[in-house]
Amino acid sequence: MFGWIVGGQTSNPGVYSPCMNLTSSDTRALLQEDKIALEYFQRSTTRNSKGRYSVSLPKKTPSISLGESRSLALKRYQQNKKSLMKKNQWQAFHLGLDEYRVLGHAELVPKADLLQPKGEVFYLPTHGVIKESSSTTKLRIVFDGSAVSSNGRSLNEILLQGPSLYPLLSTVIAQFRMHKIGMSADISKMFREIGLAEPDRDLHRFLHENSDGQIQDWQMCRVTFGITSSPFLASKALLQVAEDHKNTFPKAAQVVNQSFYVDDCLTGADSLIEAKQLRRDLNSLLSLACFTLRKWRSNSCHYSIRMNAYLLIYLCMHVCMYPFKCMYPFKCMLFFLVKCIILKNDYHLE
């Protein structure tokens, strides 16, 4: 956790000699429920002919006891529509759900399945979250897995959360500082690039209007944002593709294991040739599981990595000293600051 960082100008400005002894202090222990979730993932996960992983929901008990949930989902849908229409965002929300159908991420519930007992299915309320600062998705569709059914139980309540498989953020940033050329990217629609096993799609139903304004019953075919087990399933699938293809892409597999935090990649190389090759290998490796890396950014190889060192060191120390008190929003802000401070020059690595 503690150590020394020495920096400054040298007599030869062209000299770049990183010297750092980095020791990870990640001592997070797995709970019994975490071990069960990991074992269940290994036992139930499959891959289709395109390489896409299909996962099952890790449940606390085999038997499901949920109440009726469609009426609440309908009420929330109507409330959300009214709210978004006042903000002139309803059309964007409607088109966003339509995209799920176009991309094959959701499908209509088969008519025969509409007759299933109400306690064996779950309808997820949906709502839209507006994020003006986003460069790709201004309105994010969120599914509420914590909404309670008629018997007071929610979907999230019956699922295992699974362990956090991300490396410590302080370690990711410290490793990133070792590189001469910094690189960052993120995975497009990470959760929705992972398939959901057919038996579990009944627990991922939602309501959506067709072009005639008629309410229809839909179900998700992919891992869904807002479900307690989704972060675990997504991160484990990402690590699994690295494990499955580490012999073909050893360097890229190492980056996936050590330099990803959620869907963000923060890595680098010591030469332009190495940076280009790493970018190609990462794209090739993740494409084997239908993941797509986007928003590649880098500093120019001729642009020395200069930054507000005091700010970065302060943030890194805060994460190191308070790893469990440092909440997810702060960690996202830290990633954003690192990208802005260090990668402030775009550099294309095609």
Side-chain angles (χ1 to χ4, degrees):
M1 179 182 296
F2 301 101
W4 294 93
I5 297 177
V6 179
Q9 294 185 353
T10 65
S11 57
N12 185 352
V15 172
Y16 176 84
S17 180
C19 182
M20 187 175 180
N21 183 17
L22 178 64
T23 302
S24 174
S25 58
D26 189 353
T27 57
R28 292 171 292 183
L30 291 178
L31 302 175
Q32 184 60 32
E33 285 192 348
D34 295 337
K35 295 178 181 179
I36 294 174
L38 286 167
E39 292 171 359
Y40 186 73
F41 180 94
Q42 296 295 343
R43 187 171 65 251
S44 61
T45 300
T46 60
R47 292 183 78 174
N48 64 14
S49 58
K50 295 181 180 180
R52 188 185 310 279
Y53 290 100
S54 179
V55 299
S56 298
L57 298 176
K59 305 176 187 69
K60 292 180 179 178
T61 57
S63 59
I64 301 172
S65 177
L66 290 169
E68 192 275 331
S69 56
R70 191 180 187 278
S71 58
L72 174 63
L74 178 59
K75 181 179 179 180
R76 292 271 297 274
Y77 183 88
Q78 293 169 338
Q79 291 173 342
N80 178 61
K81 179 178 180 179
K82 184 177 180 180
S83 175
L84 291 179
M85 288 186 72
K86 289 181 180 179
K87 301 174 184 177
N88 294 322
Q89 292 291 338
W90 172 248
Q91 186 67 14
F93 180 84
H94 191 273
L95 291 175
L97 282 179
D98 276 346
E99 182 189 58
Y100 282 57
R101 172 186 57 82
V102 173
L103 295 177
H105 297 175
E107 61 186 6
L108 279 170
V109 177
K111 290 184 178 180
D113 292 345
L114 292 173
L115 303 177
Q116 286 181 268
K118 296 178 180 180
E120 296 179 5
V121 302
F122 193 83
Y123 283 82
L124 296 164
T126 56
H127 65 277
V129 176
I130 301 171
K131 188 178 180 181
E132 295 293 346
S133 60
S134 175
S135 61
T136 53
T137 307
K138 300 295 183 184
L139 188 142
R140 181 187 293 271
I141 297 173
V142 178
F143 294 80
D144 187 2
S146 297
V148 296
S149 60
S150 60
N151 68 355
R153 303 193 72 183
S154 68
L155 175 61
N156 283 346
E157 188 179 342
I158 68 170
L159 298 179
L160 294 171
Q161 181 176 344
S164 173
L165 302 177
Y166 308 121
L168 291 175
L169 188 54
S170 55
T171 303
V172 174
I173 295 176
Q175 290 173 339
F176 171 75
R177 291 273 288 125
M178 294 287 289
H179 302 296
K180 191 172 183 178
I181 298 177
M183 304 160 58
S184 73
D186 67 42
I187 302 175
S188 175
K189 299 179 177 65
M190 180 180 179
F191 285 16
R192 286 160 54 191
E193 293 300 347
I194 304 167
L196 183 65
E198 289 192 19
D200 288 328
R201 295 178 184 179
D202 287 327
L203 299 176
H204 276 50
R205 293 187 182 184
F206 65 97
L207 301 175
H208 179 42
E209 292 181 358
N210 61 15
S211 56
D212 298 327
Q214 180 183 0
I215 296 291
Q216 295 180 312
D217 297 62
W218 289 75
Q219 61 188 17
M220 289 295 297
C221 307
R222 303 290 175 87
V223 170
T224 304
F225 190 79
I227 309 304
T228 191
S229 57
S230 291
F232 158 69
L233 293 172
S235 60
K236 182 56 181 172
L238 181 63
L239 294 175
Q240 191 64 46
V241 68
E243 176 65 24
D244 291 346
H245 303 284
K246 63 183 179 183
N247 293 333
T248 306
F249 300 101
K251 179 60 177 177
Q254 182 182 9
V255 170
V256 170
N257 282 305
Q258 299 179 357
S259 302
F260 270 81
Y261 192 83
V262 194
D263 58 351
D264 282 307
C265 174
L266 195 62
T267 185
D270 293 329
S271 71
L272 178 59
I273 294 176
E274 292 177 6
K276 287 184 175 182
Q277 185 61 52
L278 180 57
R279 180 183 186 273
R280 286 193 292 266
D281 287 350
L282 280 170
N283 283 332
S284 298
L285 170 63
L286 296 192
S287 68
L288 294 175
C290 300
F291 291 124
T292 302
L293 282 169
R294 62 177 181 176
K295 294 195 227 178
W296 280 97
R297 288 174 62 89
S298 174
N299 64 301
S300 168
C301 63
H302 303 295
Y303 180 82
S304 61
I305 301 178
R306 303 186 183 194
M307 68 193 74
N308 186 336
Y310 294 106
L311 173 61
L312 188 60
I313 292 171
Y314 168 78
L315 292 172
C316 289
M317 289 178 63
H318 187 89
V319 178
C320 286
M321 290 186 290
Y322 308 105
F324 300 105
K325 294 181 181 179
C326 186
M327 302 306 290
Y328 177 74
F330 177 82
K331 295 181 179 180
C332 290
M333 179 189 72
L334 181 56
F335 244 90
F336 175 76
L337 286 174
V338 170
K339 289 182 180 181
C340 290
I341 295 170
I342 301 178
L343 306 178
K344 58 184 179 181
N345 276 13
D346 285 335
Y347 181 70
H348 300 291
L349 299 171
E350 285 82 358

